[in-house]
Amino acid sequence: MLEVNHGSILRLIDLAREFHADQSVQISDDPPVLGDEWQAENLEAHAENPVLAEFRSAVEELNPDEQQQVVVLLWIGRGDYEVDEWSEALDYAADAWTPETADYLIAHPMLADHLEAGLEAVSNELD
């Protein structure tokens, strides 16, 4: 099921939490759509943020299949899918994948919490 290294996911969680804790970061509460230009426009004001750059780099280190799995963790963590719908969610994430996955992810203000919840749900299912 989950092939992404847990350490990589935890790193993304830490970076997301740090980025969103910055008082200068302003992100809309409207959730972005995977593959939409919205996130690039919304994040443009933060282009010089070193945490954003590190987050993007960490996501880009993952291959597209791993990036799609991280997106599915987000979706499970925020309640869009259940763990037993993993394959369905992964198919949708694969169809919608773009090279801007990092921006899609970080554009979610609750990303860290959702990734944690998704990782916990998937880990519980595997136990």
Side-chain angles (χ1 to χ4, degrees):
M1 182 185 286
L2 183 63
E3 298 170 3
V4 182
N5 177 296
H6 282 215
S8 297
I9 297 167
L10 295 176
R11 179 177 175 214
L12 293 175
I13 290 168
D14 288 344
L15 290 168
R17 189 160 277 128
E18 184 177 352
F19 178 73
H20 289 118
D22 184 337
Q23 296 298 319
S24 69
V25 172
Q26 300 289 320
I27 299 205
S28 170
D29 288 335
D30 295 330
V33 175
L34 191 57
D36 191 3
E37 295 288 325
W38 174 92
Q39 58 263 18
E41 294 169 9
N42 207 321
L43 294 171
E44 189 174 323
H46 308 293
E48 301 300 318
N49 185 309
V51 178
L52 177 59
E54 188 176 350
F55 182 87
R56 286 174 169 160
S57 177
V59 172
E60 290 166 4
E61 288 173 7
L62 303 173
N63 67 48
D65 290 341
E66 292 171 323
Q67 291 177 18
Q68 294 157 21
Q69 291 177 24
V70 173
V71 169
V72 172
L73 286 177
L74 161 67
W75 291 343
I76 289 173
R78 74 177 185 195
D80 297 332
Y81 289 92
E82 298 296 326
V83 175
D84 62 357
E85 298 173 301
W86 179 269
S87 293
E88 176 187 335
L90 196 55
D91 287 344
Y92 182 73
D95 289 343
W97 181 86
T98 73
E100 288 78 31
T101 297
D103 288 352
Y104 168 74
L105 290 166
I106 201 68
H108 289 82
M110 299 296 296
L111 176 63
D113 293 339
H114 293 319
L115 286 179
E116 280 182 338
L119 184 58
E120 182 178 336
V122 168
S123 296
N124 288 341
E125 186 73 20
L126 297 176
D127 288 342

